[in-house]
Amino acid sequence: MELHNLSPAPNSKHRLRRVGRGKGSGLGKTSGRGENGQNKRSGGGVRPLFEGGQMPLMLHLGKRGFTNGKFKSVYSIVNIGQLDCFDEGTVVTAELLKQKGIISKIEKDGLKVLGDGKITKALTVKADKFTQTAIKKIQKAGGTVEEA
């Protein structure tokens, strides 16, 4: 490929619309902006959702709903497939996972272990919450589960 071979993509270039160049162009006099008024002016027009001074519908209806973020549970999440990198008999805690870089930070409600993946080693896993599949898979591999 060389500079003289380069060309724009098909239909990506449009001819410039020359407005205000007489009646014969079809875009003379008002340049396609209609008659006089607010919308004809440069920068003219009303803001979105403006309804002519009437109370806008969005404000009239008001707000609905409620999100209770204050009491929401936030856990650091790890799948059991990620725990298979540890040696047999290791006690896996949130602090150990953070040291290894498996989780970036320990959230306010602690660690939650999910059951996605396979585990082949017997590990002792200490966490604040477990899913039922995670408990079954850890115990099937010969490990133990300790809820904090």
Side-chain angles (χ1 to χ4, degrees):
M1 186 186 336
E2 295 173 359
L3 277 177
H4 68 274
N5 292 333
L6 295 177
S7 64
N11 300 324
S12 67
K13 301 285 280 181
H14 301 283
R15 265 188 86 220
L16 185 67
R17 192 167 72 162
R18 296 189 70 219
V19 296
R21 293 294 181 272
K23 284 183 187 176
S25 70
L27 294 168
K29 192 183 175 217
T30 54
S31 304
R33 288 180 176 264
E35 295 306 318
N36 292 351
Q38 186 177 11
N39 288 316
K40 181 184 178 179
R41 311 286 183 231
S42 172
V46 293
R47 67 181 183 275
L49 304 178
F50 180 70
E51 295 179 10
Q54 177 175 300
M55 172 68 82
L57 184 65
M58 294 294 284
L59 291 178
H60 192 71
L61 294 175
K63 295 179 181 178
R64 272 183 61 90
F66 174 69
T67 304
N68 197 352
K70 185 177 180 181
F71 298 104
K72 184 179 176 184
S73 297
V74 182
Y75 292 98
S76 297
I77 293 174
V78 67
N79 280 302
I80 58 162
Q82 295 170 285
L83 304 180
D84 215 33
C85 65
F86 294 106
D87 295 326
E88 188 103 10
T90 308
V91 178
V92 180
T93 61
E95 289 78 20
L96 181 64
L97 292 170
K98 189 171 184 289
Q99 278 179 358
K100 288 275 189 179
I102 295 172
I103 59 173
S104 57
K105 71 175 193 173
I106 301 168
E107 295 287 354
K108 68 177 179 112
D109 290 314
L111 179 69
K112 183 173 183 177
V113 181
L114 306 181
D116 191 35
K118 290 183 180 179
I119 188 163
T120 56
K121 297 167 186 159
L123 302 172
T124 303
V125 184
K126 291 184 179 179
D128 296 278
K129 208 162 189 179
F130 292 88
T131 59
Q132 291 300 310
T133 52
I135 293 170
K136 285 177 188 170
K137 287 182 180 181
I138 291 167
Q139 289 174 345
K140 187 178 178 185
T144 56
V145 171
E146 293 181 24
E147 270 191 51

